[in-house]
Amino acid sequence: MQMLDTTSIVPLYKQLKDLLLSDIKEGRLKVNQRIPTELELSQQFQISRMTVRKALAELVDEGVLAKKQGKGTFVQEEKMTEDLSSPNSFTNLCRRNGKEPGGRTLKFTLQEARERDRRVLQLGDTEQVIRVERVRTADNVPVMLENLYFPGHLKNILTENLNDVSLYQILREKYGLHSGNSVMEISVCEATPEEASVLEIKTGKPCLLMEEIVYDQYNKPLHRTKSVLRGDKFKYISPRMNVNPMK
Amino acid sequence: MQMLDTTSIVPLYKQLKDLLLSDIKEGRLKVNQRIPTELELSQQFQISRMTVRKALAELVDEGVLAKKQGKGTFVQEEKMTEDLSSPNSFTNLCRRNGKEPGGRTLKFTLQEARERDRRVLQLGDTEQVIRVERVRTADNVPVMLENLYFPGHLKNILTENLNDVSLYQILREKYGLHSGNSVMEISVCEATPEEASVLEIKTGKPCLLMEEIVYDQYNKPLHRTKSVLRGDKFKYISPRMNVNPMK
């Protein structure tokens, strides 16, 4: 059993914190595993509960551990980071985070346009909408449920097998269209029973709701996207330049 | 009682949708109020349940209504929109969204620095940290719990009454420091009992967790912020320029 070094210049709480971090890093403590209680740790290392509390508080603050009321303190999974200032690509997002991207298409249909599709995609009066629903996986775990809506006149993309081919590649090759600017909204939602079932989480679990309108190189709407991302798997990061004084 | 016009060129589902929208806009249906069931609406307006379902599905998709499992369909409050591409200011955010900003300071202390503060704020070995905890309100409703951490050497800001004066104003006047660039992370969290109590929501309710490091005009760390925002009150919006092809 490892012990703390009471003769060291490094504070005891910091030694305990580093020990827990290396236990997590090296897999002795696993993601979603409950760690020993404050009392157990203080007895195990013969240090005060105050010292244990301080180490745990910092790890909770840093998102390494999470307290669940009445259940204990658990090891959190590190979230995948989506950089809002760089191009949007699930494949790259996974690779950057050391995960293997995957997925499957659940729906790929031409359907009646909703009022919102009509407005956002600037559809003609009778134009339909192409809906692509896919689940995206990282290391075979479902992490994102994605719904894309394209203007119906791009219906030649319907002939493709999306499990292997990039939608954007088809748009480039068949229509000469490239994605350009976009506007994105991020909010939280609670997973509906349907979403929860696909994402293999409990109904009501907090998720990120990402809604995006992507324009082509001529600044015409290319598609809108509504994605539900598992809240325990993702975070967004965004640099801001020259922030002005905040009241 | 209002009826739908079966002779109109406007589809019946669209008429019902517009009627519900104007009921919400004009306060006949209030935020968090349950709307009549599909069956009740179909009887009331003598239209098929299919038509009702379509109108409700669009309003749910647009975030105007929300279905709660086993409880019915409810009017959602419109979320306040924080624009990630513009300067960060709670006051402006509220004003832009037609709400009166307010708040109060819960803590304003010089305390021992955590390891993370030391690293992120580049503190000296024995330097403390100034912690400001405030709750922010919009129209007197608590919507955000904010924790700011400043390097301890800026301790002259501690003499001020923060309920009325801008922290940034004090930093400018006492130290000649302005906020510059920043890096921000957005993720979801479940409100802890303490957060829930301040924000007047139930423990475990989904919230946005916003963590930011703000630099001064010399690119030195000015403060870090960790805020918990009510998930039912906020959304973030971010424009992306020149998105590259997405696999």
Side-chain angles (χ1 to χ4, degrees), chain A residues 14 17 54 61 86 91 112 115-116 168 180-182 184 186 226 236 238 240 242-243 246-247, chain B residues 17 54 61 86 91 112 115-116 168 180-182 184 186 226 236 238 240 242-243 246-247:
Chain A
K14 177 77 170 73
K17 192 180 161 189
K54 192 168 163 185
D61 179 55
S86 78
T91 304
E112 201 185 349
E115 196 193 352
R116 185 188 201 177
Y168 277 101
N181 298 331
S182 69
M184 181 188 224
I186 303 166
K226 184 172 182 172
Y236 284 96
S238 169
R240 284 205 216 203
N242 295 315
V243 174
M246 155 166 82
K247 168 86 184 175
Chain B
K17 192 180 161 188
K54 193 169 161 185
D61 179 52
S86 79
T91 306
E112 201 186 347
E115 195 193 355
R116 185 188 201 176
Y168 278 101
N181 298 331
S182 68
M184 180 188 224
I186 302 165
K226 184 173 182 172
Y236 284 96
S238 168
R240 281 203 217 204
N242 297 315
V243 174
M246 157 164 80
K247 169 89 183 175

Side-chain angles (χ1 to χ4, degrees), chain B residues 184-213:
Chain B
M184 180 188 224
E185 276 186 12
I186 302 165
S187 56
V188 298
C189 63
E190 300 178 35
T192 65
E194 298 76 27
E195 290 158 357
S197 153
V198 173
L199 294 173
E200 297 174 10
I201 53 178
K202 284 194 189 137
T203 296
K205 271 282 161 194
C207 290
L208 282 157
L209 175 64
M210 195 274 269
E211 300 195 76
E212 193 172 27
I213 305 168

Side-chain angles (χ1 to χ4, degrees), chain B residues 46-59:
Chain B
Q46 302 183 4
I47 52 180
S48 74
R49 288 185 65 161
M50 191 75 174
T51 303
V52 175
R53 197 171 301 147
K54 193 169 161 185
L56 298 187
E58 291 205 358
L59 290 168

Side-chain angles (χ1 to χ4, degrees), chain A residues 13-14 17-18 21 54 57-58 60-63 67 69 79 81-92 112-117 119 134 136 146 148-149 164-169 172 178-190 193 203-212 214 223-226 230-232 234-247, chain B residues 13-14 17-18 21 54 57-58 60-63 69 79 81-92 112-117 119 134 136 146 148-149 164-169 172 178-190 192-193 203-212 214 223-226 230-232 234-247:
Chain A
Y13 94 90
K14 177 77 170 73
K17 192 180 161 189
D18 290 343
L21 278 171
K54 192 168 163 185
E58 291 206 358
V60 167
D61 179 55
E62 292 170 20
K67 280 191 179 178
Q69 216 191 354
K79 290 178 179 177
T81 303
E82 162 75 324
D83 187 342
L84 289 174
S85 66
S86 78
N88 178 352
S89 155
F90 184 78
T91 304
N92 290 341
E112 201 185 349
R114 292 176 163 179
E115 196 193 352
R116 185 188 201 177
D117 298 320
R119 186 180 63 239
R134 356 183 230 193
R136 299 295 197 114
E146 190 180 54
L148 297 104
Y149 301 86
D164 300 318
V165 187
S166 157
L167 263 174
Y168 277 101
Q169 193 184 326
R172 271 200 307 280
H178 301 250
S179 61
N181 298 331
S182 69
V183 183
M184 181 188 224
E185 275 185 15
I186 303 166
S187 56
V188 299
C189 63
E190 299 179 35
T203 297
K205 271 280 161 196
C207 289
L208 284 157
L209 175 63
M210 195 275 270
E211 300 195 77
E212 193 173 27
V214 176
H223 66 85
R224 78 173 176 97
T225 303
K226 184 172 182 172
R230 281 179 54 169
D232 58 340
F234 287 95
K235 63 183 173 189
Y236 284 96
I237 182 162
S238 169
R240 284 205 216 203
M241 295 305 169
N242 295 315
V243 174
N244 281 344
M246 155 166 82
K247 168 86 184 175
Chain B
Y13 95 88
K14 177 79 170 75
K17 192 180 161 188
D18 290 342
L21 279 171
K54 193 169 161 185
E58 291 205 358
V60 168
D61 179 52
E62 292 170 19
Q69 217 191 352
K79 290 178 179 176
T81 303
E82 162 76 326
D83 188 343
L84 289 176
S85 66
S86 79
N88 177 352
S89 155
F90 184 77
T91 306
N92 291 341
E112 201 186 347
R114 291 176 165 180
E115 195 193 355
R116 185 188 201 176
D117 298 319
R119 186 180 61 237
R134 352 184 233 195
R136 299 293 198 115
E146 192 180 55
L148 297 104
Y149 301 85
D164 301 318
V165 188
S166 158
L167 263 175
Y168 278 101
Q169 194 185 324
R172 272 199 308 281
H178 300 251
S179 61
N181 298 331
S182 68
V183 182
M184 180 188 224
E185 276 186 12
I186 302 165
S187 56
V188 298
C189 63
E190 300 178 35
T192 65
T203 296
K205 271 282 161 194
C207 290
L208 282 157
L209 175 64
M210 195 274 269
E211 300 195 76
E212 193 172 27
V214 175
H223 67 86
R224 77 172 177 98
T225 303
K226 184 173 182 172
R230 280 179 56 168
D232 57 341
F234 287 96
K235 63 184 173 190
Y236 284 96
I237 183 164
S238 168
R240 281 203 217 204
M241 294 307 170
N242 297 315
V243 174
N244 283 343
M246 157 164 80
K247 169 89 183 175

Side-chain angles (χ1 to χ4, degrees), chain A residues 135-184:
Chain A
V135 54
R136 299 295 197 114
T137 60
D139 285 351
N140 290 316
V141 176
V143 292
M144 186 195 306
L145 178 62
E146 190 180 54
N147 270 287
L148 297 104
Y149 301 86
F150 292 87
H153 68 264
L154 300 175
K155 60 176 173 283
N156 284 353
I157 64 173
L158 275 169
T159 58
E160 305 288 341
N161 174 2
L162 271 196
N163 286 324
D164 300 318
V165 187
S166 157
L167 263 174
Y168 277 101
Q169 193 184 326
I170 305 169
L171 287 166
R172 271 200 307 280
E173 288 170 4
K174 294 215 171 172
Y175 293 98
L177 294 174
H178 301 250
S179 61
N181 298 331
S182 69
V183 183
M184 181 188 224

